[in-house]
């Protein structure tokens, strides 16, 4: 079945363009012209496979919607791509903080957007893994279920953070350059910068708390997941 994409956008012209192009690519679409409607449709069965979320909406801001989608257990693993107008740099940072997986800056090319959607949806369906649950020190990761625990307390990671964590964990003990992580996590076609990697690693470490130290920064090179779990002394 083709993926269902929820478009939350108040500009009707933009909605029409997005709907047309997404449907032409074979996606199903659902649209909301307000934030309130967007929240409602994000939780409606069947759940969307991805949300395209405008930051500037008339009623509820995109960042607030993102936060609420992440708070709800049913919807929290749905990937979110935020769309921001040029110059909304602060909103973009906030977007990552509240759990957006990616963002595109308006005016964006439809082609670029489609590439990012495809890359994110591909990640959403991981290949069968031999190990369902990986444990490392205080960390436990259920790859199939997209769930993460530290000291048996469950964390809320975005789809992108989860992908980053599992990628690093599976390559533990090996240094990963930012470019390698971009290829492995975001997909080779993604037009994101190496700074995006740093932003996500930083955020992931914060969420991991005590287990954040497992991800080491290799100055001038990239990152490495520890070979053996060593916690920072408290
Ligand atoms: Ca808008």
């Amino acid at each position: 079945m083709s993926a269902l994409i929820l478009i939350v956008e108040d500009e009707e012209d933009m909605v029409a363009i997005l709907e047309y192009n997404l449907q032409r690519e074979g996606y199903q679409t659902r649209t909301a012209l307000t934030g309130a409607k967007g929240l409602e449709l994000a939780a409606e069965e069947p759940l969307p496979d991805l949300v395209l979320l405008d930051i500037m909406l008339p009623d509820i801001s995109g960042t607030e919607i993102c936060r609420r989608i992440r708070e709800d257990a049913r919807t929290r693993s749905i990937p979110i791509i935020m769309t921001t107008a040029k110059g909304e740099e602060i909103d973009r940072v906030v977007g990552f903080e509240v759990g957006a997986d990616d963002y595109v800056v308006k005016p964006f090319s439809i082609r670029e957007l489609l590439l990012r959607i495809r890359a994110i949806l591909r990640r959403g369906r991981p290949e069968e893994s031999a190990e369902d649950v990986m444990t490392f020190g205080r960390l436990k990761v259920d790859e199939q279920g997209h769930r993460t625990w530290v000291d048996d307390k469950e964390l809320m990671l975005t789809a992108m953070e989860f992908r980053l964590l599992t990628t690093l964990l599976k390559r533990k003990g090996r240094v990963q350059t930012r470019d390698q992580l971009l290829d492995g996590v975001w997909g080779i076609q993604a037009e994101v910068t190496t700074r995006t990697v740093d932003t996500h690693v930083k955020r992931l470490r914060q969420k991991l708390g005590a287990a954040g130290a497992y991800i080491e920064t290799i100055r001038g090179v990239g990152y490495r997941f520890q070979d053996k779990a060593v916690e920072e002394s408290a």
Side-chain angles (χ1 to χ4, degrees):
M1 211 183 75
S2 66
L4 171 63
I5 297 178
L6 169 61
I7 304 163
V8 187
E9 166 68 65
D10 62 319
E11 287 162 57
E12 295 193 32
D13 289 353
M14 179 62 86
V15 171
I17 291 168
L18 289 171
E19 262 195 311
Y20 171 78
N21 282 283
L22 289 170
Q23 287 176 4
R24 206 176 57 164
E25 287 288 305
Y27 297 117
Q28 301 178 73
T29 57
R30 191 184 277 174
T31 60
L33 292 167
T34 64
K37 189 72 184 168
L39 273 175
E40 187 190 316
L41 294 184
E44 190 174 290
E45 299 283 349
L47 293 174
D49 296 289
L50 186 142
V51 180
L52 263 182
L53 179 59
D54 181 23
I55 285 195
M56 297 292 283
L57 291 163
D59 52 345
I60 313 171
S61 76
T63 48
E64 180 58 27
I65 291 168
C66 190
R67 188 177 289 129
R68 292 199 209 165
I69 288 176
R70 288 290 173 256
E71 274 169 6
D72 188 331
R74 289 170 306 163
T75 58
R76 72 175 167 215
S77 60
I78 301 173
I80 298 173
I81 298 180
M82 281 200 168
T83 57
T84 74
K86 238 186 190 130
E88 292 173 347
E89 297 287 323
I90 295 165
D91 285 340
R92 186 192 301 183
V93 173
V94 172
F96 279 127
E97 282 176 359
V98 295
D101 292 280
D102 203 352
Y103 61 85
V104 289
V105 179
K106 292 177 186 172
F108 49 77
S109 87
I110 289 291
R111 199 184 104 80
E112 180 191 341
L113 180 68
L114 291 173
L115 284 175
R116 292 198 188 193
I117 289 173
R118 207 176 303 150
I120 286 186
L121 289 175
R122 204 173 45 221
R123 279 192 297 275
R125 303 193 190 93
E127 305 94 53
E128 289 299 307
S129 159
E131 283 177 290
D132 273 0
V133 178
M134 299 177 273
T135 55
F136 185 90
R138 313 166 98 166
L139 180 67
K140 191 168 82 177
V141 179
D142 173 1
E143 197 174 18
Q144 299 294 313
H146 272 235
R147 300 175 75 187
T148 311
W149 299 262
V150 171
D151 295 335
D152 290 325
K153 183 172 176 287
E154 186 164 8
L155 306 181
M156 299 209 310
L157 301 185
T158 66
M160 195 66 88
E161 288 162 352
F162 186 80
R163 174 83 177 173
L164 179 60
L165 175 63
T166 53
T167 300
L168 283 165
L169 182 56
K170 284 175 176 174
R171 301 173 185 176
K172 67 183 183 209
R174 285 186 278 160
V175 177
Q176 299 297 307
T177 66
R178 289 174 177 82
D179 285 333
Q180 282 171 324
L181 288 172
L182 276 179
D183 287 356
V185 178
W186 279 262
I188 200 155
Q189 293 155 318
E191 295 168 50
V192 291
T193 66
T194 51
R195 265 183 55 194
T196 308
V197 177
D198 296 334
T199 309
H200 278 79
V201 168
K202 190 177 168 201
R203 187 75 192 144
L204 176 60
R205 270 196 189 127
Q206 281 169 0
K207 288 195 181 176
L208 289 173
Y214 297 157
I215 302 171
E216 300 169 327
T217 302
I218 309 300
R219 199 183 290 267
V221 184
Y223 298 96
R224 177 176 61 201
F225 205 93
Q226 289 180 346
D227 214 3
K228 279 198 285 188
V230 179
E231 273 108 40
E232 274 173 332
S233 49

PDB file of all heavy atoms in Angstrom, residues 8-11 54-58 83 106, ligand 1:
ATOM      1  N   VAL A   8      -0.008  19.602   6.466  1.00  0.00           N
ATOM      2  CA  VAL A   8      -0.594  20.627   7.336  1.00  0.00           C
ATOM      3  C   VAL A   8      -0.052  21.959   6.846  1.00  0.00           C
ATOM      4  O   VAL A   8       1.134  22.252   7.001  1.00  0.00           O
ATOM      5  CB  VAL A   8      -0.229  20.406   8.818  1.00  0.00           C
ATOM      6  CG1 VAL A   8      -0.985  21.392   9.706  1.00  0.00           C
ATOM      7  CG2 VAL A   8      -0.524  18.973   9.249  1.00  0.00           C
ATOM      8  N   GLU A   9      -0.905  22.730   6.223  1.00  0.00           N
ATOM      9  CA  GLU A   9      -0.457  23.932   5.518  1.00  0.00           C
ATOM     10  C   GLU A   9      -1.660  24.851   5.308  1.00  0.00           C
ATOM     11  O   GLU A   9      -2.706  24.394   4.893  1.00  0.00           O
ATOM     12  CB  GLU A   9       0.155  23.477   4.165  1.00  0.00           C
ATOM     13  CG  GLU A   9       0.382  24.554   3.143  1.00  0.00           C
ATOM     14  CD  GLU A   9       1.473  25.526   3.542  1.00  0.00           C
ATOM     15  OE1 GLU A   9       2.637  25.099   3.648  1.00  0.00           O
ATOM     16  OE2 GLU A   9       1.162  26.710   3.758  1.00  0.00           O
ATOM     17  N   ASP A  10      -1.501  26.124   5.623  1.00  0.00           N
ATOM     18  CA  ASP A  10      -2.656  27.020   5.518  1.00  0.00           C
ATOM     19  C   ASP A  10      -2.780  27.729   4.168  1.00  0.00           C
ATOM     20  O   ASP A  10      -3.824  28.300   3.880  1.00  0.00           O
ATOM     21  CB  ASP A  10      -2.641  28.054   6.656  1.00  0.00           C
ATOM     22  CG  ASP A  10      -1.411  28.940   6.612  1.00  0.00           C
ATOM     23  OD1 ASP A  10      -0.317  28.393   6.330  1.00  0.00           O
ATOM     24  OD2 ASP A  10      -1.522  30.143   6.847  1.00  0.00           O
ATOM     25  N   GLU A  11      -1.724  27.688   3.362  1.00  0.00           N
ATOM     26  CA  GLU A  11      -1.829  28.317   2.049  1.00  0.00           C
ATOM     27  C   GLU A  11      -2.414  27.317   1.062  1.00  0.00           C
ATOM     28  O   GLU A  11      -1.783  26.318   0.730  1.00  0.00           O
ATOM     29  CB  GLU A  11      -0.452  28.770   1.563  1.00  0.00           C
ATOM     30  CG  GLU A  11       0.075  29.994   2.293  1.00  0.00           C
ATOM     31  CD  GLU A  11       1.566  30.148   2.106  1.00  0.00           C
ATOM     32  OE1 GLU A  11       1.995  30.232   0.945  1.00  0.00           O
ATOM     33  OE2 GLU A  11       2.288  30.154   3.120  1.00  0.00           O
ATOM     34  N   ASP A  54       3.824  22.820   8.142  1.00  0.00           N
ATOM     35  CA  ASP A  54       4.174  24.231   8.003  1.00  0.00           C
ATOM     36  C   ASP A  54       4.362  24.827   9.407  1.00  0.00           C
ATOM     37  O   ASP A  54       3.601  24.500  10.320  1.00  0.00           O
ATOM     38  CB  ASP A  54       3.008  24.930   7.277  1.00  0.00           C
ATOM     39  CG  ASP A  54       3.267  26.408   7.050  1.00  0.00           C
ATOM     40  OD1 ASP A  54       4.445  26.816   7.034  1.00  0.00           O
ATOM     41  OD2 ASP A  54       2.281  27.153   6.890  1.00  0.00           O
ATOM     42  N   ILE A  55       5.364  25.646   9.572  1.00  0.00           N
ATOM     43  CA  ILE A  55       5.590  26.233  10.906  1.00  0.00           C
ATOM     44  C   ILE A  55       4.604  27.361  11.200  1.00  0.00           C
ATOM     45  O   ILE A  55       4.061  27.474  12.294  1.00  0.00           O
ATOM     46  CB  ILE A  55       7.040  26.732  11.049  1.00  0.00           C
ATOM     47  CG1 ILE A  55       7.972  25.524  11.239  1.00  0.00           C
ATOM     48  CG2 ILE A  55       7.178  27.672  12.252  1.00  0.00           C
ATOM     49  CD1 ILE A  55       9.340  25.855  11.725  1.00  0.00           C
ATOM     50  N   MET A  56       4.357  28.212  10.197  1.00  0.00           N
ATOM     51  CA  MET A  56       3.473  29.362  10.405  1.00  0.00           C
ATOM     52  C   MET A  56       2.038  29.007  10.040  1.00  0.00           C
ATOM     53  O   MET A  56       1.678  28.986   8.874  1.00  0.00           O
ATOM     54  CB  MET A  56       3.945  30.553   9.555  1.00  0.00           C
ATOM     55  CG  MET A  56       5.318  31.061   9.936  1.00  0.00           C
ATOM     56  SD  MET A  56       5.350  31.824  11.559  1.00  0.00           S
ATOM     57  CE  MET A  56       4.591  33.403  11.187  1.00  0.00           C
ATOM     58  N   LEU A  57       1.252  28.727  11.043  1.00  0.00           N
ATOM     59  CA  LEU A  57      -0.156  28.390  10.830  1.00  0.00           C
ATOM     60  C   LEU A  57      -1.010  29.397  11.592  1.00  0.00           C
ATOM     61  O   LEU A  57      -0.542  29.999  12.558  1.00  0.00           O
ATOM     62  CB  LEU A  57      -0.422  26.973  11.340  1.00  0.00           C
ATOM     63  CG  LEU A  57       0.229  25.853  10.522  1.00  0.00           C
ATOM     64  CD1 LEU A  57       0.272  24.557  11.307  1.00  0.00           C
ATOM     65  CD2 LEU A  57      -0.518  25.646   9.210  1.00  0.00           C
ATOM     66  N   PRO A  58      -2.270  29.584  11.187  1.00  0.00           N
ATOM     67  CA  PRO A  58      -3.066  30.630  11.823  1.00  0.00           C
ATOM     68  C   PRO A  58      -3.429  30.364  13.289  1.00  0.00           C
ATOM     69  O   PRO A  58      -3.567  31.299  14.070  1.00  0.00           O
ATOM     70  CB  PRO A  58      -4.331  30.688  10.953  1.00  0.00           C
ATOM     71  CG  PRO A  58      -4.389  29.390  10.250  1.00  0.00           C
ATOM     72  CD  PRO A  58      -2.973  28.955  10.067  1.00  0.00           C
ATOM     73  N   THR A  83       8.217  22.667   7.174  1.00  0.00           N
ATOM     74  CA  THR A  83       8.472  23.614   6.100  1.00  0.00           C
ATOM     75  C   THR A  83       8.528  25.006   6.715  1.00  0.00           C
ATOM     76  O   THR A  83       7.632  25.415   7.445  1.00  0.00           O
ATOM     77  CB  THR A  83       7.377  23.542   5.010  1.00  0.00           C
ATOM     78  OG1 THR A  83       6.101  23.781   5.601  1.00  0.00           O
ATOM     79  CG2 THR A  83       7.332  22.175   4.368  1.00  0.00           C
ATOM     80  N   LYS A 106      11.207  27.236   2.450  1.00  0.00           N
ATOM     81  CA  LYS A 106      10.421  27.773   1.322  1.00  0.00           C
ATOM     82  C   LYS A 106      11.146  28.967   0.715  1.00  0.00           C
ATOM     83  O   LYS A 106      11.693  29.770   1.463  1.00  0.00           O
ATOM     84  CB  LYS A 106       9.052  28.227   1.803  1.00  0.00           C
ATOM     85  CG  LYS A 106       8.135  27.134   2.243  1.00  0.00           C
ATOM     86  CD  LYS A 106       6.843  27.780   2.768  1.00  0.00           C
ATOM     87  CE  LYS A 106       5.923  26.746   3.379  1.00  0.00           C
ATOM     88  NZ  LYS A 106       4.772  27.373   4.046  1.00  0.00           N
TER      89      LYS A 106
HETATM   90 CA1  LIG B   1       1.849  29.179   6.551  1.00  0.00          CA
END
